[in-house]
Amino acid sequence: SGMTFRDSNRLFLWSARQLSLNFSPTEEDHRAISGICTLLDGSPLGIELAASWIRTIQCSELAQELEKSLEILECSDTHRPGRQQSLQAVFDYSWDLLSSREQTSLTGLSIFQGGFSRESASVVAGCSLRTLRNLCDHSMVKLRNGGGYTLHPLTRQFACTKQSNPEDLREKHCNYYSLFIDDLAEMLKGHRQVDALAMMVLEFPNFREGFFYACEKHDRKRMTAYSKTISAMLQMRSRFSEGIELYSRLLVVMEETADETSDPEQFRDRTIAEIKERIGNFLLMSGKTKEAEPYLRSAAELASRLGDPALDTLCLGSLGNIAYMQRDLKGAEEEWSRALSAARKARIPRSESSLLCNLATVYRRRGNMVQAREFLEEAAKIISDSGDIHQNAVVLSSIADLLEIEGDLPGAERKNRESLVLSLEVGDLRVASNCLDKLSRIVCERSPAEALGYARKSLRLAEESGATSRIVHSGIRLSRVLVSNKLMQEALLQLELSELEIDGIDDHILARDLAEAREFVESNL
């Protein structure tokens, strides 16, 4: 059985030093060694065989090689018993101890990414509960963190080579998870959003795999099911870089296979438009406005040509966001108003509510509080019955802004706290970070120390979310609160960090805010 993580690392270093006395790993080497030990899951033989390579290649190269294939872990030491000469031999030896039913089941289970449940093992791989228990007894299957089961990555890699009909397995796998994701989509809209998100995160590797297969097969129905829910999860959990990577890969799959299929043109255009819209949106949420715009413009043109109001809503909404970030209020209002009528046509309450909040911001900035309040009340009414926690958090945050400007600070504080609780519950770190910034601003005069606590936490959440413009906003807020707490050196350091961070962003208003913060800090020195 596998050793603990610390023992695995020790064994690797000990084995490496047996072969090369002056082996002194750098920090990068230590990171690679930890990766290797995790991949080999504490298999002593695997670790010894891996360590024997350090005379030949760098630790980081070894880690990369092992992720691709374990073939390099063949052992030339003829003094060991045959079954210990290579990991392949170890696997073959263990494989031969299984009954044919167990072998068939194990091969089927190798289709899963990241793990599986009892039900998916039965439906996709035809593996009964009894066989599953036997495979656990043989240490071929282990319990998965968060529930269900998993195969050790090495076992999975070997068992994959035994699949006789991988296409059939992928088909079953894709189908099972597309039905599963349909159920989660319903949960995501309502009161069970938090449970649905936890399940999405746990099964994400399987959903991704199913999504790719549906794309390769140009299966419109299943692709749509996967895309909507995967995208919602990545967005709510602020996993933007994963979103960009996933949809960029899909775009390549779609463009590469476009000629091989007899898809109607409309199907291909719609799919490409949807994928481009997602890439544009994830870029936008990461603060990369310049890169996002061409994707969104291209998607918007396709959407209007196809007469697809749901897709129109998304594209126009995002183009409105870009205009707003460039402080073009008139442009933002035009795009958002067009998006709102598309959302009403497509009957998407969540988007309606969200766009009403956006339009309220435009009116608030123009000083038209009456119209802003009307929009927000309508947004709250649309969403309050649906039980959509995430959108409720967004609406409460917008109402808090209005109350703060109107001078009702206790009311603004209360609404921000309510929004903070909901956004943390669903794991939207951007909305949560924004609420903490605002709480820090509201309480600063009353209690600079309390404000500092909020500002620090806001920056921590912003950094976890990876949304660059959000990180800069939090950094600016923190530098100002540090001044109120007479921590001048730290305030200057924080400004420098924010100035480094803003380098990759194209937002001149944010740059102006940062310059103003620097003036404020320096004038207090």
Side-chain angles (χ1 to χ4, degrees), residues 29-79:
D29 290 335
H30 277 297
R31 272 202 300 275
I33 291 167
S34 295
I36 291 166
C37 292
T38 306
L39 184 72
L40 299 173
D41 204 34
S43 147
L45 173 65
I47 287 164
E48 283 183 56
L49 292 171
S52 70
W53 275 90
I54 62 106
R55 284 177 304 186
T56 321
I57 56 176
Q58 296 286 329
C59 292
S60 54
E61 288 177 85
L62 177 60
Q64 284 167 359
E65 282 301 321
L66 289 175
E67 274 176 16
K68 282 187 277 187
S69 158
L70 300 157
E71 272 176 17
I72 68 165
L73 296 190
E74 299 296 329
C75 159
S76 54
D77 180 356
T78 47
H79 300 305

Side-chain angles (χ1 to χ4, degrees), residues 171-407:
E171 175 58 45
K172 279 185 183 156
H173 176 277
C174 174
N175 202 43
Y176 176 84
Y177 284 99
S178 71
L179 295 172
F180 187 175
I181 213 162
D182 274 341
D183 295 341
L184 289 180
E186 280 312 301
M187 283 168 67
L188 267 181
K189 285 182 201 144
H191 297 272
R192 297 189 54 204
Q193 206 167 44
V194 178
D195 299 337
L197 276 171
M199 190 53 84
M200 276 296 303
V201 172
L202 182 66
E203 292 291 1
F204 182 61
N206 281 313
F207 289 137
R208 237 176 76 146
E209 202 50 37
F211 192 10
F212 281 130
Y213 181 77
C215 272
E216 279 169 35
K217 292 281 161 268
H218 289 226
D219 181 334
R220 175 83 199 154
K221 187 164 172 276
R222 290 194 295 197
M223 280 163 71
T224 309
Y226 277 116
S227 184
K228 274 213 303 260
T229 311
I230 285 178
S231 167
M233 185 277 282
L234 292 172
Q235 197 162 329
M236 286 184 201
R237 283 296 174 92
S238 306
R239 290 165 70 162
F240 309 129
S241 48
E242 269 176 279
I244 296 165
E245 183 200 8
L246 174 74
Y247 282 90
S248 302
R249 200 178 134 193
L250 286 174
L251 192 57
V252 172
V253 169
M254 279 309 296
E255 287 173 342
E256 276 178 356
T257 53
D259 307 332
E260 297 163 26
T261 54
S262 53
D263 292 334
E265 182 112 354
Q266 203 182 9
F267 160 86
R268 200 176 67 233
D269 286 352
R270 175 166 282 135
T271 309
I272 286 176
E274 282 168 359
I275 294 174
K276 283 184 171 173
E277 181 277 324
R278 286 292 81 198
I279 298 173
N281 235 314
F282 283 120
L283 283 165
L284 181 57
M285 287 183 273
S286 320
K288 297 177 178 162
T289 338
K290 263 206 170 80
E291 289 171 52
E293 193 163 354
Y295 280 106
L296 291 164
R297 291 250 172 251
S298 166
E301 278 166 31
L302 284 166
S304 66
R305 208 170 70 215
L306 292 159
D308 183 333
L311 191 53
D312 247 348
T313 304
L314 291 169
C315 297
L316 295 168
S318 300
L319 289 167
N321 294 347
I322 291 179
Y324 183 78
M325 284 164 90
Q326 293 162 347
R327 293 305 184 267
D328 168 11
L329 284 187
K330 190 168 176 293
E333 186 188 3
E334 279 170 14
E335 301 285 15
W336 284 338
S337 301
R338 286 166 59 202
L340 180 61
S341 50
R344 286 182 167 144
K345 205 159 140 193
R347 293 206 176 88
I348 314 170
R350 186 197 174 93
S351 297
E352 272 185 70
S353 166
S354 169
L355 289 158
L356 284 162
C357 288
N358 291 354
L359 285 164
T361 314
V362 171
Y363 280 92
R364 196 187 74 221
R365 289 202 93 98
R366 289 187 180 141
N368 184 343
M369 298 304 165
V370 178
Q371 183 63 65
R373 179 172 289 280
E374 270 178 32
F375 277 151
L376 287 176
E377 281 166 2
E378 194 186 339
K381 201 162 132 248
I382 288 173
I383 214 66
S384 64
D385 314 330
S386 71
D388 184 328
I389 302 172
H390 183 254
Q391 186 53 33
N392 254 314
V394 174
V395 174
L396 285 164
S397 173
S398 301
I399 292 172
D401 293 341
L402 191 67
L403 293 171
E404 189 181 345
I405 285 176
E406 291 178 341

Side-chain angles (χ1 to χ4, degrees), residues 405-421:
I405 285 176
E406 291 178 341
D408 176 2
L409 293 185
E413 189 176 337
R414 203 170 52 248
K415 292 291 178 199
N416 272 315
R417 286 188 196 285
E418 287 173 28
S419 177
L420 177 64
V421 169

